[in-house]
Amino acid sequence: MTDLTYETERGEGGELHQRHPAKAPHGPEGHLTTNQGIRVSDNQNQLKTGPRGPVALEDFVLREKIFHFDHERIPERIVHARGSAAHGFFENYESLSDLTKADLFQRAGERTPLFTRFSTVAGGAGSVDTPRDVRGFAVKFYTKEGNWDLVGNNIPVFFIQDAIKFPDLVHSVKMEADRGFPQAATAHDTFWDFVSLMPESTHMLLWIMSDRTIPRNFRTIQGFGVHTFRFVNAKGRSTFVKFHWKPKQGLASTIWDEAVKIAGADPDFQRRDLFEAIEHGDFPEWELGVQTFDEKFAESLPYDVLDATKIIPEEILPVRPIGRMVLDRYPDNFFAETEQVAFCPANVPPGVDFTNDPLLQGRLFSYLDTQKSRLGTANFHQLPINAPKCPVMNFQRDGQMQMAIPKGRANYEPNGLAENGEDSGPRECPATGFRTFPAPEQGDMLRVRPESFADHYSQARLFYRSLDPAEQAHVASAFAFELSKVAIEAVRERVLANLGNVDPDLAGRVANGLNIACPKPSPTAAPVLDLELSPALRIIRGALDLDTLKGRTVGVLIVDGSDGAILDRVVADVEKAGGRAFIVSPRVGGVKLADGSVRKADGQLAGSPSVLFDAAALVLSAEGCAALTKEAAAVQFVMDAFGHLKAIGFTPEAKPLLDKAGVELDEGVVALDRNFVKAAGKRYWDREAKVRMLA
Ligand code: HDE
């Protein structure tokens, strides 16, 4: 055991000194210093006038330390405050030079370093990881021709069509202005009041009431650029493009009851998951895909590609995979990297360009602006996490926290200093510099919404009707839950009237879930169309719903008397399948196995409920099981694993615990033999009707 307790010694005058033993490496690099590089002799005691006397103002060591601490926090992001990030790379599959001149897409196999931050939207920086909320999916590519920030979400549409509504939207969703709650939740009056008056939000509401907003973790979300962007090739030809990230880990969500319980059991669940996955070498990976199209295709659609409340279903326009992103390094320092990273959709390299999407246009202003108030200086781009990994040369100078020391007199352009033998600085480059695509524009200056943005319901209907029945039931139940938290009755009615345009069955189920009458559908500005359904939108039983244990965790419950051989086999099988086994026992010091040996646990039962795992294994002895039937945490462990549709593997001795938890045997409740691993990667949707009353 290391002894890090205080050592005491007497000084020359007999005074008492307390210090920690010097454990740091000796030599200059091991010495504690002030920010001015002055070595510190004592980091435990302030400078006092006499042992019991007043503290001296001249104690610069104390003052500097407290001063710096006082200013450690910076304003959190107004939205997306809570996030986690990782470093990695993008690897390009093949040259896309026909579509874009963007340097990172020119050569097959080329890797571009990147930094990706995932986030929730509504909650503060200290809120929990698993509220029902959109997840941000922001990627900073450090390309050879400058930074490209693809600042997307895990949902392909947005609430509003025009940036001028963003402050209203965000005010409505954040904590209510007078009472300061609820934190990180849409389930309250002001949010539903606002969206009920904004029918354009209906499509997004369907997505946020779906299981997409209660993802299992960051590794199992999809990402979308949302807006239509442009690719521009070397010949100056523009192609419209929509960006998609598809998780190689599969798409996976929690059950609402599970998400709520995870919030209590581990508020950092998704952050920890990202950290641990990378630490264990399970590097999360996504495929970047594009939907590309021209003006003619855009005009053939019954909706506008500039409207961020619309998708182009993959069945109509397939997603072409163009490369992969691997996240293989967790940041060294959360503040310096994850907190200080500054994304901006306006950061695009030559070959990527914008469209007139009015939401995108507003974003092009907002992000640079917000960084100044968050990071405090116009020089935030010099922070290591934000700095491009290519040369940055211009005549911008000075400002707070200027890190660069430019040489010479050339801080303006044009200048003729070269003729005087001096460095004249950089010059514009018409051949390789960024040129905006010369889209022809004309029209009257108006504050209007285009006619082509008027249909607010057809795609909401398309989304709802494309889902698996279990997902539809979750959507209806989520609406019923959220609206039950809304106290203003007129708001509930307005939402139901809007839902009536999406699908009468949905509106009826929600009304039934609330036990109120379903009002007539609200008037619509455009006819609601029955668009062709898109099964690609499903999570459950969809293309990205993978039955796998790879990168997933099985919680293995053990007690005194458990059979060590079975335990070892289960652990080995799980690991062989690419998963992790997390041993849970009533006491973290472990248990005495049947053969008398001691097996340590990774977590204590009370702090390791089954919501934290993807499947459960019960390696119990008869006596141990009898004791666990009297332990609520153990009964809950099993009950929740069953209720959250997870596989449960069990030794015969564990049966009494299953019975106590009300578990009925089905194809997901299996003996702990070789078949368990196969069963453990799945969720058992057929169990839903037995465990939940859904709307
Ligand atoms: Fe953002 N958004 N946003 N947003 N957004 C911010 O920038 C904004 C929108 C998104 O991990 C802010 O640095 C406006 C859509 C992500 O650091 C701010 C509008 C999408 C992140 C801002 C939108 C996003 C942000 C707050 C409507 C998906 C977190 C802090 C016009 C395509 C990035 C910051 C990170 C962050 C403004 C709408 C994604 C205030 C005005 C649509 C992932 O600038």
Side-chain angles (χ1 to χ4, degrees), residues 264-343:
D266 185 359
D268 308 305
F269 183 68
Q270 291 173 341
R271 176 173 296 179
R272 188 188 310 278
D273 173 85
L274 185 64
F275 176 85
E276 287 181 355
I278 293 175
E279 229 189 17
H280 285 89
D282 281 330
F283 300 139
E285 192 171 326
W286 284 259
E287 198 154 57
L288 179 61
V290 290
Q291 287 178 301
T292 54
F293 54 100
D294 58 15
E295 201 79 56
K296 203 164 146 230
F297 174 85
E299 276 160 22
S300 73
L301 298 170
Y303 39 84
D304 198 324
V305 299
L306 300 184
D307 173 357
T309 68
K310 304 294 186 295
I311 57 165
I312 304 176
E314 289 183 36
E315 288 79 359
I316 292 180
L317 184 62
V319 175
R320 168 182 170 190
I322 61 169
R324 67 187 185 116
M325 166 171 78
V326 178
L327 299 181
D328 58 3
R329 185 161 65 86
Y330 202 77
D332 289 321
N333 185 275
F334 187 86
F335 179 81
E337 300 176 271
T338 309
E339 192 59 17
Q340 292 199 117
V341 66
F343 294 95

Side-chain angles (χ1 to χ4, degrees), residues 101 427-435:
K101 62 183 173 189
R427 291 293 182 275
E428 66 202 12
C429 178
T432 57
F434 183 89
R435 278 171 185 265

Side-chain angles (χ1 to χ4, degrees), residues 77 80 117 151-153 163 166 343 359 363 366-367 370-371:
R77 290 163 173 83
H80 297 267
R117 183 174 181 271
V151 196
N153 278 342
F166 191 66
F343 294 95
L359 200 66
R363 295 180 72 203
S366 175
Y367 290 66
T370 207
Q371 307 311 352

Side-chain angles (χ1 to χ4, degrees), residues 76-81 83-84 116-121 134-138 150-155 157-160 162-167 169-170 224-227 229 308 338-339 341-345 358-371 374:
E76 67 176 34
R77 290 163 173 83
I78 171 74
V79 281
H80 297 267
S84 308
T116 298
R117 183 174 181 271
F118 305 105
S119 47
T120 53
V121 179
V134 180
R135 296 301 183 283
F137 194 124
L150 185 52
V151 196
N153 278 342
N154 76 326
I155 285 180
V157 289
F158 204 63
F159 293 98
I160 48 173
D162 191 302
I164 203 167
K165 297 310 299 167
F166 191 66
L169 166 72
V170 174
F224 302 92
V226 176
H227 314 281
F229 289 87
T338 309
E339 192 59 17
V341 66
F343 294 95
C344 178
L359 200 66
L360 173 60
Q361 292 287 323
R363 295 180 72 203
L364 299 181
F365 162 71
S366 175
Y367 290 66
L368 184 60
D369 184 53
T370 207
Q371 307 311 352
R374 209 164 63 76

Side-chain angles (χ1 to χ4, degrees), residues 306-483:
L306 300 184
D307 173 357
T309 68
K310 304 294 186 295
I311 57 165
I312 304 176
E314 289 183 36
E315 288 79 359
I316 292 180
L317 184 62
V319 175
R320 168 182 170 190
I322 61 169
R324 67 187 185 116
M325 166 171 78
V326 178
L327 299 181
D328 58 3
R329 185 161 65 86
Y330 202 77
D332 289 321
N333 185 275
F334 187 86
F335 179 81
E337 300 176 271
T338 309
E339 192 59 17
Q340 292 199 117
V341 66
F343 294 95
C344 178
N347 294 348
V348 289
V352 180
D353 209 334
F354 318 117
T355 60
N356 288 346
D357 174 340
L359 200 66
L360 173 60
Q361 292 287 323
R363 295 180 72 203
L364 299 181
F365 162 71
S366 175
Y367 290 66
L368 184 60
D369 184 53
T370 207
Q371 307 311 352
K372 168 68 182 64
S373 90
R374 209 164 63 76
L375 297 160
T377 159
N379 289 318
F380 69 86
H381 60 279
Q382 297 180 352
L383 294 168
I385 195 65
N386 294 323
K389 297 192 195 297
C390 66
V392 173
M393 291 174 287
N394 58 43
F395 298 99
Q396 293 171 31
R397 290 289 185 273
D398 309 343
Q400 283 178 346
M401 296 293 146
Q402 177 57 252
M403 298 292 162
I405 307 178
K407 292 202 173 109
R409 293 195 284 176
N411 59 359
Y412 59 96
E413 184 275 334
N415 70 61
L417 295 171
E419 287 163 26
N420 200 37
E422 298 178 41
D423 184 354
S424 67
R427 291 293 182 275
E428 66 202 12
C429 178
T432 57
F434 183 89
R435 278 171 185 265
T436 294
F437 177 72
E441 305 290 356
Q442 63 172 32
D444 300 339
M445 299 281 272
L446 298 165
R447 290 189 183 275
V448 292
R449 210 59 74 83
E451 269 305 310
S452 53
F453 282 32
D455 175 6
H456 303 319
Y457 297 109
S458 304
Q459 287 214 348
R461 175 179 292 179
L462 157 75
F463 177 74
Y464 180 71
R465 293 188 179 168
S466 298
L467 297 182
D468 180 89
E471 283 173 289
Q472 290 179 335
H474 287 186
V475 169
S477 300
F479 270 108
F481 169 82
E482 297 255 327
L483 293 176

